[in-house]
Amino acid sequence: MNDIQQSRLWVIGGAVATIVILLMGYLLLISPQLTTAETIRGDTQLALDRNTAMEARITQLRAANENLDELQTDLEAARRELPVRNETEVFASTLQNLGEKNLVSVTSISFGDPENVTSRAQGTVAAAPGAAATEESDAAAAADAAATAAAEAQARQTFA
């Protein structure tokens, strides 16, 4: 081979070697760093979105905190209306005594979760509203509970 062909071969080989080295450098060094940077950008955006959501929640809580005294007063009033203890034993013995007076045998009592019902004079029996209850159904449930309590009080006076 002559010198011109030999130097042309060295130039082509050097160019190929340079391209291979650059390609390997990109694949082994630069590409992983770009992937890491993209992951960090995504994590940063996620953190910013969470911060925005938390700031909105904090604003809501601060607004609710302004009514805290009123809400605590309402809570205390509601707590005073609840019975202090569970009186199922008293109810069971009263029911047993009433049964004996009326020649009825009470063999078992099962206490389950309470349900809101309407009185028979108001309409048919209705199960308590589910998780999608509105303020209107809550008011109706409170009225039903008051009516039930009044009926129970009247029944106690009648059988006592």
Side-chain angles (χ1 to χ4, degrees):
M1 283 203 211
N2 63 21
D3 286 336
I4 293 177
Q5 287 179 342
Q6 193 174 17
S7 49
R8 195 180 286 169
L9 216 72
W10 277 102
V11 169
I12 291 173
V16 170
T18 302
I19 291 172
V20 168
I21 289 172
L22 288 174
L23 185 61
M24 287 178 58
Y26 178 80
L27 291 175
L28 296 175
L29 300 173
I30 296 171
S31 180
Q33 294 299 320
L34 291 175
T35 303
T36 302
E38 187 62 33
T39 302
I40 291 172
R41 281 188 203 101
D43 291 346
T44 302
Q45 186 60 43
L46 182 63
L48 290 173
D49 292 343
R50 285 182 182 167
N51 284 345
T52 303
M54 287 295 152
E55 286 173 0
R57 180 71 175 140
I58 288 170
T59 302
Q60 289 175 344
L61 292 174
R62 283 188 179 143
N65 192 29
E66 292 175 3
N67 299 331
L68 184 61
D69 293 334
E70 179 183 332
L71 293 173
Q72 285 178 335
T73 304
D74 292 346
L75 176 64
E76 193 58 38
R79 281 187 179 158
R80 277 187 251 123
E81 292 178 13
L82 292 174
V84 178
R85 60 189 174 96
N86 187 352
E87 297 183 3
T88 55
E89 294 84 13
V90 175
F91 175 72
S93 65
T94 303
L95 189 61
Q96 185 68 35
N97 291 337
L98 291 172
E100 289 172 1
K101 286 180 184 178
N102 294 301
L103 303 174
V104 176
S105 175
V106 178
T107 57
S108 69
I109 299 174
S110 175
F111 295 100
D113 292 334
E115 292 183 14
N116 293 330
V117 295
T118 59
S119 67
R120 295 179 198 259
Q122 292 176 351
T124 60
V125 176
T134 62
E135 291 180 16
E136 294 175 7
S137 63
D138 288 343
D144 291 340
T148 303
E152 288 175 1
Q154 185 178 9
R156 280 189 212 129
Q157 289 176 352
T158 302
F159 290 111

